[in-house]
Every structure is written in structure tokens, then in C-alpha cells.
Amino acid sequence: MNLEILRPTYLFRHVEDIPLCWLQEQRIKHLLLDVDNTIASWDSEQIDPKVDAWLRAVLDAQIRIELLSNSPPGRLKRLAGQYGIGWTSWALKPF
């Protein structure tokens, strides 16, 4: 596998730092987001209010979101259920 394709082109410190207008300018239609320490702390089902607002704005802009985790499905399913979005557990990231 060519691991070069996994190298990011853009870096943002926090997921909520990604401007919605930038996603739209890039014509992003679908985001795959890791859960642990991206959407929520690895041991929590609480989503930071800033992340929650960002997720809702992205969904309101008709950009699809799917949550990914290498963890079992329980917590992931509950987090995704708050937004009515897809999820994949045991995702085997980054491969």
C-alpha cells in the first residue's frame, strides 16, 4: 500500500477550527471523522459545545459525516445517534 496517500494536505489543530466556508470552497461532500480525541475525549460520551455547534453547522450545510473508531460499537453508536449520522466501529484505522 502506498502510505503517501494517507499524508494530510491540510492540518487543523481542532476539528472545530475547520471553517465551514473552507469545506464548501473545497467542495467537500462527506467527512470521515475519528471519534477519540477528535469529537470527544477517548473516555467520554460528552461532546464539547464548540464541537457540537460545528458538527451541526456542517450537517446543516448538507455535508455528510460518518464517525470512525477502532473501538467497539457501543459508545460510537450512541455518539452518532445524537446527530443521526453513520458510524463504523473496528475501522482498522489508518488502514
Side-chain angles (χ1 to χ4, degrees):
M1 171 181 232
N2 179 3
L3 296 180
E4 191 63 28
I5 66 171
L6 299 176
R7 184 179 305 243
T9 304
Y10 303 99
L11 297 174
F12 296 92
R13 187 155 181 82
H14 304 283
V15 69
E16 69 272 20
D17 293 340
I18 304 171
L20 179 57
C21 62
W22 183 84
L23 292 171
Q24 293 167 322
E25 289 166 4
Q26 299 299 312
R27 297 186 176 150
I28 303 295
K29 303 289 183 207
H30 197 140
L31 291 172
L32 302 175
L33 299 176
D34 183 42
V35 172
D36 295 329
N37 298 320
T38 301
I39 299 302
S41 297
W42 69 271
D43 61 345
S44 174
E45 292 190 24
Q46 298 297 319
I47 296 175
D48 183 277
K50 290 185 252 180
V51 175
D52 176 72
W54 182 85
L55 289 169
R56 293 184 190 284
V58 169
L59 290 169
D60 286 347
Q62 304 300 305
I63 298 172
R64 294 180 58 200
I65 296 173
E66 180 158 351
L67 300 182
L68 300 176
S69 178
N70 288 337
S71 301
R75 175 174 160 264
L76 181 61
K77 183 177 181 179
R78 290 187 294 274
L79 286 169
Q82 295 179 42
Y83 301 93
I85 58 178
W87 55 275
T88 299
S89 61
W90 307 116
L92 302 176
K93 301 177 287 94
F95 305 103

